[in-house]
Amino acid sequence: MADFGTLCLLMALATAGWAMVASYNGWRIQSGELILSAERAVLATWGLVALAIVALEHLIFTDRFDLEYVASYSNRALPAMYKVAALWAGQSGSILFWVFILCTYSVIVVLLHRRRNRALMPVVVTTLSGVTVFFLLLLCFLARPFVGLSHAPPDGMGMNPQLQNPFMAIHPPCLYLGYVGLTVPFAFAIAALATGKTSDTWFRTTRRFTIVSWFVLGTGILLGGWWAYVELGWGGYWAWDPVENASFIPWLTTTAFLHSVMIEERKKMLRVWNMSLVIMSFLLSILGTFITRSGVISSVHSFTRSDIGPMFAGFLGLCVVVSVGLLLHRLPLLQSEHRLDSFVSRESTFLFNNLLLVGAAFAVLWGTLFPIISEAVRGVKITVGPPFFNEIFVPITFAIMTLSAICPIIAWRRATPHKLLEKIRIPFGAMVAATALMVAFGMRDLYALVSFALSAFVIATTVMEFYWGTRARRRATQERWLAAFWNLLDRNKRRYGGFVVHLGIVLIVIGVTGSSAFKKEASATLGRGEAFSVGRFELRLEEIVSRDTPNHEFLGARLAVLDGGHQVGTLLPGQNFYKAGQDPSSEVDIRSTLREDLYLIMTGFDPQQGRATLKAYINPLVNWIWIGGLVLILGSWFAMLPDLRERRRTAEARLRELQPHAI
Amino acid sequence: MRSDAVPGDRPRGLYARPGRRAAGIARVLAIGSVLALAPVPPAPAAETTPQERAEHALMCFCGCSDLTIRTCSCGTAARVKEDIARRLASGATVDQVIEAYVAQHGEQIRSAPTKQGFNLLAWVVPFAAILAAGGLIVALIRRWQARGAVEGAVVGAGGSASPLANLSSADRKMLERVEREFRRDL
């Protein structure tokens, strides 16, 4: 089976290479047969990579420890769910999974667009296949998943205990779907540049792919935060780890693109900028992978390091040269009619919004890479940790929130001061009222006050946008309130889906603010019957619990949770000791409410004295982060729903592009 | 009254000059956003005692995380916390405690770059880049606005409600030439 897997990968390399070459030559000499052959080769590549994955999973499930990958990332007692997840637990497996996702995207693009976008598709296929060839080269020669061992161990080393968590089984696929999805808009951008067809077809065609990538990348980041929160046992969810940053940076630039593309749609402006943002997002996703894989920057994500860093650096350099070269070559075609009617317009606020989002991405990238820069310039390696990022990122977030509150109420083209003041009155009043209320209730933390006040501003603006829109529709159509509200949303899915996403982001900001500014913690070493306090809670050790499972042994401490003398629940934090021999992993227990989380970790246990060392946190409002994530997902889904008006506009754009050929 | 006045606006008092008033509001909003960028003093309520400040300023070197001593819950962090408490109790300042650890483990143990010398770049460059790009955007908006105003004036003089669409190619070329000359004279 291992030889079969290797053969599949080698054949996939050949078919992907053929797809790249045939598609490019088909486009150059306008040969329909070559182009068709390339498209079929894309389908064949997908099939071969899928077979390689089936082969690797078969080897994992049948405990073939004569294979290095299986022996390193699986063991006999590993539950079935994690045997599936073992595919992306190691370096070569995760690259194989990456290629599979890329091939799946390629197949979807070919099936959906080979007839609709004949002009762009050959170069799109060339680009997608080119990226596929690079990853297949890694798999066939540098990070081979089907390498055998001379002596098979009786059992495998098992999966990293921290990865044995349901969220971790979903988090990497989401991130990969997001990262890899950014290749599709990049491929269309390159095709538009190469063919010179730089009108709006390329971004209208790929917008759905971009939103999907943005959405799954965001979901992946949130799931990663959740995983860190429930698994890593330090009471937090985001540590500005280089690998976390690597996923966050392209998400920020894609967010900028999703906003600025609206200006291109309406005003035919910012064409070079939008093209640059799509290229930048893809390059940053490759840079992120480079950071993840090369180990060039130290990170907690050290599961998958190897020496493929130079290959990634080379590929990144090639992509930069090709895309920037094409962009410069086509600059004359991308000249747009840059005209603004007024400084106070939606267009202007979008420009500043882009500045802040790309500025935020740059700030995070700068902080992530600064240790390397410092080492290169001064020869001194330094750490750029959470305090730096918090200090840099918080003011930028405040500025973005200010714009999020103002932008929706400023009209396109030109806002009159009368209208602007009329519209801003209520949201601004809500912000002032919220601030006064917080001060009256004794809140003095400056960060929290500003953050909550701006959150109130954005929420009020967004709610008022829904209200104003419904009221206007009701007046125009005489519909009932509910019908007017629903029809308003149904006919403007992107706009109102976007507003729901804004609400989700604000809820996340509220959760982050509450859990950062008002966090409380306490720790103690307790014997049976002893207690310690954190905030208003008292925690009393009831008993030490131990359990045995085929995969691990669990040792934990059961504690009664008392609030004002009354027991409100029990918590059972502990540690898992894996039989495959890895370090123990902490298993936190959380009492979760909308107001706060009581988060409990057992950091140590003394078997001689029967005493457990415990650490407790109170994380206020932390659940609003996950609720905000759900709202964000809901809004994104709504914005992605099929929109007839959008389809018509896309069809019209394609027709416009085809007209010169008809002549 | 300026040509960009909107029907229904009151032509006196607060809204006497809509364009200028709008630009004023825009500046206030832009300045507000920029002011929001000014770093707020980093004094979250959770890190106010000397012990907490020292824990916050040092990275844990347990090798299993990228967390500060304050947030890491491993045994190494617990030992460092006890050591910090001991040093502070014996009269050392927070800076002295941090320097002692830097002398022992190198610069890498600081959780953030110092705000002096080369390391100052880490703090300054992101904001400087954003402010410089912001200045560029303001300049671009003004330029594009001026271009729009010229076009609007020319089209407005022709009395056409729908600007360029109704122009003949000769008129369009003439307009473009006027616009080019105008830009050259700006």
Side-chain angles (χ1 to χ4, degrees), chain B residues 10-32:
Chain B
R10 285 178 290 175
R12 57 194 160 74
L14 183 63
Y15 310 116
R17 290 185 174 187
R20 202 173 280 181
R21 176 71 55 188
I25 293 171
R27 277 187 203 109
V28 169
L29 297 178
I31 290 165

Side-chain angles (χ1 to χ4, degrees), chain A residues 233 241 339 344 383 385 391, chain B residues 22 66 73 108 111 115 151 179:
Chain A
D241 174 88
R339 285 179 181 84
V344 193
T383 305
E391 204 168 319
Chain B
D66 279 341
S73 54
Q108 245 182 310
S111 62
K115 289 178 181 169
E151 188 178 275
E179 210 182 322

Side-chain angles (χ1 to χ4, degrees), chain A residues 400-420:
Chain A
I400 291 173
M401 288 181 74
T402 309
L403 275 183
S404 305
I406 295 165
C407 185
I409 52 180
I410 292 187
W412 287 98
R413 296 192 63 198
R414 173 185 291 127
T416 64
H418 174 69
K419 276 275 174 205
L420 182 58

Side-chain angles (χ1 to χ4, degrees), chain A residues 233-234 241 299-300 338-340 343-344 355 366 378 381 383 385 387-388 391 395 416-417 420 445-446 603 615, chain B residues 6 21-22 25-26 36 40 45 64 66-67 71 73 81 108 110-111 115 118-119 122 133 144-145 147 151 179:
Chain A
W234 53 276
D241 174 88
S299 157
V300 70
H338 285 123
R339 285 179 181 84
L340 278 182
F343 203 100
V344 193
L355 163 75
W366 175 252
R378 294 168 60 215
K381 194 156 186 173
T383 305
F388 169 86
E391 204 168 319
T416 64
L420 182 58
D445 186 287
L446 184 60
T603 54
K615 187 161 188 180
Chain B
V6 173
R21 176 71 55 188
I25 293 171
V40 190
C64 61
D66 279 341
L67 300 172
T71 45
S73 54
K81 282 175 190 173
Q108 245 182 310
R110 289 186 197 273
S111 62
K115 289 178 181 169
F118 180 79
N119 286 347
W144 296 342
Q145 197 183 350
R147 203 180 289 177
E151 188 178 275
E179 210 182 322

Side-chain angles (χ1 to χ4, degrees), chain A residues 229-496:
Chain A
Y229 187 62
V230 300
E231 184 64 34
L232 294 184
W234 53 276
Y237 37 80
W238 186 261
W240 295 105
D241 174 88
V243 177
E244 291 172 343
N245 296 350
S247 60
F248 191 40
I249 295 166
W251 185 85
L252 285 169
T253 53
T254 313
T255 311
F257 171 74
L258 290 175
H259 285 87
S260 66
V261 78
M262 285 187 245
I263 302 184
E264 184 166 350
E265 271 179 78
R266 283 182 172 258
K267 304 276 290 185
K268 310 289 176 212
M269 287 167 61
L270 306 180
R271 297 175 68 195
V272 178
W273 176 243
N274 282 329
M275 197 68 92
S276 307
L277 276 179
V278 165
I279 292 170
M280 203 191 299
S281 299
F282 169 75
L283 294 176
L284 287 168
S285 77
I286 296 292
L287 180 71
T289 321
F290 169 62
I291 291 172
T292 319
R293 307 287 155 193
S294 65
V296 66
I297 301 167
S298 69
S299 157
V300 70
H301 292 72
S302 53
F303 316 123
T304 54
R305 274 184 211 164
S306 85
D307 52 358
I308 60 170
M311 281 284 283
F312 263 101
F315 179 65
L316 187 65
L318 180 72
C319 290
V320 170
V321 168
V322 170
S323 37
V324 173
L326 274 173
L327 193 63
L328 292 175
H329 176 59
R330 292 298 188 190
L331 266 185
L333 277 180
L334 293 166
Q335 295 301 318
S336 46
E337 297 170 2
H338 285 123
R339 285 179 181 84
L340 278 182
D341 296 298
S342 167
F343 203 100
V344 193
S345 58
R346 182 78 62 85
E347 292 90 326
S348 296
T349 55
F350 269 27
L351 287 173
F352 284 105
N353 146 302
N354 259 244
L355 163 75
L356 292 170
L357 286 167
V358 175
F362 171 72
V364 178
L365 182 66
W366 175 252
T368 308
L369 297 179
F370 197 76
I372 306 174
I373 297 169
S374 168
E375 197 172 9
V377 175
R378 294 168 60 215
V380 178
K381 194 156 186 173
I382 61 160
T383 305
V384 179
F388 169 86
F389 289 104
N390 290 337
E391 204 168 319
I392 294 282
F393 204 75
V394 167
I396 299 176
T397 307
F398 287 168
I400 291 173
M401 288 181 74
T402 309
L403 275 183
S404 305
I406 295 165
C407 185
I409 52 180
I410 292 187
W412 287 98
R413 296 192 63 198
R414 173 185 291 127
T416 64
H418 174 69
K419 276 275 174 205
L420 182 58
L421 286 174
E422 188 186 294
K423 283 201 148 190
I424 211 167
R425 209 172 46 203
I426 296 173
F428 193 78
M431 180 176 76
V432 173
T435 311
L437 212 63
M438 287 184 290
V439 173
F441 275 95
M443 192 185 289
R444 294 292 180 269
D445 186 287
L446 184 60
Y447 273 116
L449 273 173
V450 175
S451 179
F452 288 142
L454 288 173
S455 300
F457 196 14
V458 181
I459 290 173
T461 303
T462 313
V463 170
M464 289 311 291
E465 272 298 311
F466 279 93
Y467 169 70
W468 287 320
T470 309
R471 190 181 61 182
R473 183 170 174 86
R474 192 170 169 268
R475 279 179 185 164
T477 61
Q478 306 301 315
E479 290 171 335
R480 288 165 185 269
W481 277 102
L482 200 62
F485 177 73
W486 175 249
N487 287 328
L488 177 82
L489 266 59
D490 189 42
R491 282 159 194 269
N492 301 276
K493 292 188 183 79
R494 271 175 59 205
R495 177 180 166 82
Y496 289 98

Side-chain angles (χ1 to χ4, degrees), chain A residues 5-131:
Chain A
T6 305
L7 184 68
C8 284
L9 288 180
L10 286 168
M11 285 171 66
L13 178 62
T15 52
W18 171 251
M20 183 177 72
V21 173
S23 197
Y24 179 72
N25 284 306
W27 168 63
R28 280 192 62 197
I29 62 171
Q30 290 297 302
S31 162
E33 286 170 357
L34 274 177
I35 292 169
L36 185 66
S37 170
E39 287 169 356
R40 286 176 179 163
V42 168
L43 304 182
T45 308
W46 178 85
L48 288 162
V49 173
L51 283 175
I53 283 189
V54 171
L56 186 56
E57 281 294 356
H58 180 263
L59 291 162
I60 293 169
F61 270 87
T62 51
D63 297 325
R64 286 284 302 277
F65 301 120
D66 55 331
L67 204 73
E68 189 185 341
Y69 190 86
V70 182
S72 304
Y73 302 106
S74 181
N75 63 313
R76 292 185 194 282
L78 193 68
M81 181 174 80
Y82 298 123
K83 286 202 171 181
V84 174
L87 176 65
W88 51 85
Q91 173 79 275
S92 51
S94 59
I95 295 178
L96 178 59
F97 186 51
W98 181 290
V99 174
F100 176 69
I101 294 172
L102 180 56
C103 290
T104 307
Y105 272 121
S106 305
V107 166
I108 292 170
V109 168
V110 165
L111 294 180
L112 286 180
H113 294 286
R114 61 181 165 182
R115 289 197 176 82
R116 286 190 217 164
N117 282 301
R118 289 244 56 95
L120 297 178
M121 275 309 284
V123 185
V124 169
V125 170
T126 305
T127 312
L128 289 171
S129 302
V131 180

Side-chain angles (χ1 to χ4, degrees), chain A residues 165-183:
Chain A
N165 176 293
F167 293 118
M168 206 54 197
I170 314 166
H171 159 66
C174 276
L175 281 188
Y176 291 179
L177 277 169
Y179 272 142
V180 181
L182 294 174
T183 317

Side-chain angles (χ1 to χ4, degrees), chain B residues 20-82:
Chain B
R20 202 173 280 181
R21 176 71 55 188
I25 293 171
R27 277 187 203 109
V28 169
L29 297 178
I31 290 165
S33 295
V34 171
L35 280 181
L37 276 175
V40 190
E47 281 125 27
T48 47
T49 66
Q51 173 81 25
E52 287 164 347
R53 284 206 302 278
E55 290 175 6
H56 191 64
L58 297 170
M59 293 300 285
C60 186
F61 44 90
C62 59
C64 61
S65 71
D66 279 341
L67 300 172
T68 60
I69 291 292
R70 175 133 180 79
T71 45
C72 195
S73 54
C74 71
T76 308
R79 281 192 295 279
V80 174
K81 282 175 190 173
E82 283 169 16

